[in-house]
Amino acid sequence: MKSRIVFGVSLIFLFLGCTNPTTPEFDIKNGLMSVEAFVSNFEKSSYAKIYRLNEFNAGLNSYVNVFEEKAEVRFINSSTNEEVVLVEDVENEIYLPPLDFVALEGDTWQLYVRLQNGTEYTSTPETMSNVVPIVNSTVAYDKELEFVASEGKFVPGHQITVNVTDPSIKGNYYYWTYRTFEKNTICVFCPEYNFFREGMCVEYTDPERAQNVPPYFTYFCESDCWQIRYNNRVNILADEFINGSTFELPVANLLLYNKSKILIELQQYSISASAYKYFSVLKDIVDDSNGLNAPPPAALLGNIINPNDEEEVVLGRFTVAAASLNRILLSRDGIEENELEPSIIPLPESAPIPEERRVYEAPCYEESRYLTYTEPEGWN
């Protein structure tokens, strides 16, 4: 079954593009395509997402998108004619290149998409800019870091501040994001009277004992395993008033979802002027719409077209951007405030499953964009 994502949210995950943003004068209609893609200079950061605008949900006051499966998606290097084929990840609704794929500064890339019905989409070429390094970064804890509407209050967390020396040449534009690594203790959670067998959660079917089965079972990781999470906030800066100087700037808020040890991989992207203009418009839309789940007042056109139908409106952006990295290992011991996502209480297999048939551990599964069994650099 194809899952659905609120249209307003999916726009936030658009990275950046090279053409100037436009706010078209038309009504958002069913069937519009949204193609998001990003190429970066470090592993597990490049991707493509392809959705079709399906219908308006009155309850959510938003359009919803349906993920386009079985598309042919490629990154094409205009500098070397290299073609990188992306593989579909249906569960996470994303297309991914090989895990070790990285782009190089100065290379020019283009996106090609061919849907299952034969419709094609291409982007304008994008060239990767030179990296501007982060001098250093600091983290400060705040008991009331940010107001969260779903909680109805200010919640605790850590604010990340960067120190950067801007090059003397005018026209530098920055975008900040991050991803985090947290070590999993529990690798599989089987809810609703299910238990873990042969790589999946299956229903416990013994009718004589079913009423005594606990509401869920948990399975400890049989090896080291880290969960990878990605930020979706908009943090940008132009060097119009700071050209050539060293500046400090808060660039990310890390809310206290839990209190376990965490590795933050802060990413500072160098982007083009046109990408900055587009992202500025997107940020204004998000801020004016009172949050991530609010519908945008109008669609933003990017740099992706249907080469066989110039009249088709295509939402989304293809961006090529280079990042400098700064890793921060954060211990959250001693924090008294409540975490936003309380940890799952371990509940290993027990009666009525006979002891000789019980399973207590599960694998970390394969290396992916969201999971790794390889210790991330900077963990210790």
Side-chain angles (χ1 to χ4, degrees):
M1 174 183 291
K2 295 182 180 180
S3 61
R4 295 179 173 181
I5 295 180
V6 179
F7 178 67
V9 174
S10 68
L11 273 179
I12 306 308
F13 292 100
L14 296 175
F15 272 81
L16 313 166
C18 73
T19 58
N20 289 336
T22 59
T23 304
E25 296 180 357
F26 64 89
D27 294 329
I28 298 177
K29 299 179 180 179
N30 291 357
L32 288 180
M33 290 301 303
S34 173
V35 182
E36 316 166 18
F38 187 68
V39 167
S40 178
N41 62 328
F42 67 99
E43 295 179 0
K44 298 181 183 178
S45 62
S46 302
Y47 69 90
K49 296 182 179 181
I50 307 169
Y51 298 102
R52 184 177 297 278
L53 186 60
N54 188 33
E55 61 186 30
F56 187 81
N57 187 307
L60 294 174
N61 193 31
S62 299
Y63 283 87
V64 294
N65 284 348
V66 175
F67 178 64
E68 284 284 336
E69 300 180 5
K70 299 180 181 179
E72 176 188 347
V73 184
R74 286 179 281 157
F75 295 149
I76 302 173
N77 189 324
S78 304
S79 307
T80 64
N81 294 322
E82 173 191 5
E83 293 192 2
V84 178
V85 177
L86 280 68
V87 177
E88 180 180 10
D89 179 347
V90 176
E91 180 180 356
N92 294 298
E93 299 188 341
I94 195 169
Y95 289 85
L96 300 172
L99 294 177
D100 60 353
F101 169 74
V102 293
L104 302 177
E105 294 177 46
D107 279 356
T108 300
W109 292 85
Q110 191 170 10
L111 175 70
Y112 172 82
V113 174
R114 186 177 187 274
L115 302 183
Q116 193 176 10
N117 64 8
T119 306
E120 295 178 307
Y121 299 97
T122 61
S123 73
T124 56
E126 290 261 318
T127 300
M128 182 170 287
S129 304
N130 295 329
V131 170
V132 177
I134 301 172
V135 176
N136 60 55
S137 58
T138 58
V139 180
Y141 180 70
D142 188 338
K143 295 180 180 180
E144 296 184 340
L145 177 66
E146 183 177 304
F147 184 82
V148 176
S150 60
E151 297 287 329
K153 62 180 179 180
F154 284 89
V155 300
H158 293 81
Q159 185 174 77
I160 305 173
T161 299
V162 295
N163 184 289
V164 179
T165 299
D166 183 68
S168 57
I169 300 176
K170 292 183 178 180
N172 292 291
Y173 304 90
Y174 302 94
Y175 167 81
W176 289 275
T177 188
Y178 64 82
R179 63 181 179 181
T180 62
F181 296 82
E182 298 167 272
K183 198 168 187 178
N184 285 340
T185 301
I186 296 172
C187 271
V188 172
F189 174 88
C190 288
E192 299 178 356
Y193 309 103
N194 284 252
F195 63 110
F196 183 73
R197 295 295 184 274
E198 298 182 357
M200 66 181 67
C201 292
V202 296
E203 186 177 359
Y204 190 84
T205 57
D206 189 334
E208 296 181 1
R209 297 175 173 177
Q211 68 270 21
N212 298 319
V213 177
Y216 66 87
F217 287 129
T218 59
Y219 299 84
F220 294 105
C221 299
E222 64 182 22
S223 65
D224 287 342
C225 189
W226 285 265
Q227 180 181 359
I228 308 172
R229 302 178 192 239
Y230 293 83
N231 176 49
N232 62 357
R233 291 298 187 91
V234 178
N235 290 285
I236 54 177
L237 178 72
D239 72 347
E240 181 179 0
F241 301 109
I242 58 170
N243 181 58
S245 64
T246 298
F247 63 91
E248 287 188 351
L249 185 71
V251 295
N253 286 345
L254 184 67
L255 303 186
L256 189 69
Y257 289 107
N258 61 68
K259 299 180 183 180
S260 63
K261 177 180 174 182
I262 187 170
L263 176 66
I264 308 162
E265 189 178 77
L266 182 66
Q267 304 154 16
Q268 176 177 284
Y269 285 97
S270 300
I271 60 177
S272 66
S274 53
Y276 175 82
K277 291 177 183 177
Y278 169 80
F279 219 44
S280 297
V281 174
L282 181 58
K283 180 177 175 62
D284 289 342
I285 290 175
V286 173
D287 293 344
D288 292 343
S289 298
N290 299 316
L292 300 180
N293 291 325
L300 288 177
L301 298 184
N303 59 349
I304 300 174
I305 63 168
N306 180 338
N308 302 310
D309 183 1
E310 296 182 355
E311 299 299 319
E312 181 178 357
V313 174
V314 185
L315 309 176
R317 300 287 295 184
F318 172 66
T319 299
V320 179
S324 60
L325 304 181
N326 197 288
R327 296 180 175 91
I328 306 164
L329 187 62
L330 189 61
S331 173
R332 295 181 281 192
D333 294 339
I335 294 177
E336 298 179 355
E337 285 69 37
N338 293 330
E339 53 196 2
L340 299 181
E341 294 180 354
S343 301
I344 297 173
I345 298 174
L347 193 61
E349 285 189 5
S350 59
I353 300 175
E355 185 172 355
E356 65 274 10
R357 291 173 50 197
R358 295 174 190 169
V359 174
Y360 298 106
E361 295 182 333
C364 186
Y365 294 104
E366 68 228 22
E367 196 87 1
S368 72
R369 175 179 167 87
Y370 307 98
L371 209 63
T372 180
Y373 46 74
T374 303
E375 182 175 299
E377 183 178 349
W379 181 257
N380 288 321

